[in-house]
Amino acid sequence: MTPTLRVLPLRMFAEDRSLSPLAFSLAESSELESRVRRMLVPASGFSGKTMLMLGGLGFLAACSLAMIGPESAILKTEVQLRLTADPFPGEK
């Protein structure tokens, strides 16, 4: 069956139906249509102030982590203990 033969009955049905005034009243904008239209509007980008604040916050976080230093994060004795630990203690 060709696509035109499948579409022909639907086309004939649509052409035979007359449009009633009720159909035009139902064709007004709905809540769903307004949501879809709102989603299709391109989103606005971040403003310059927002980007500057995010950059400053990232810079402050980097500086504070640099001041803390790696010594306080993990003790050297804990690293040595983990490196010498038996990975499969239950097999002995």
Side-chain angles (χ1 to χ4, degrees):
M1 184 178 234
T2 64
T4 54
L5 290 178
R6 278 188 267 155
V7 174
L8 188 60
L10 292 173
R11 185 175 166 195
M12 289 172 49
F13 176 74
E15 288 173 353
D16 289 342
R17 297 188 50 93
S18 62
L19 295 175
S20 67
L22 182 61
F24 285 118
S25 67
L26 292 175
E28 292 180 14
S29 143
S30 67
E31 184 178 340
L32 176 62
E33 181 185 355
S34 64
R35 281 190 271 163
V36 169
R37 288 187 188 277
R38 200 173 348 155
M39 287 179 64
L40 293 177
V41 173
S44 61
F46 288 111
S47 67
K49 290 180 183 179
T50 306
M51 294 304 287
L52 187 63
M53 287 179 62
L54 285 174
L57 185 62
F59 180 74
L60 286 175
C63 288
S64 62
L65 288 174
M67 283 186 206
I68 291 173
E71 293 85 21
S72 65
I74 300 173
L75 299 175
K76 290 180 182 180
T77 56
E78 184 177 352
V79 172
Q80 188 64 28
L81 177 67
R82 288 176 183 255
L83 287 174
T84 58
D86 185 13
F88 304 104
E91 293 184 0
K92 289 185 180 180

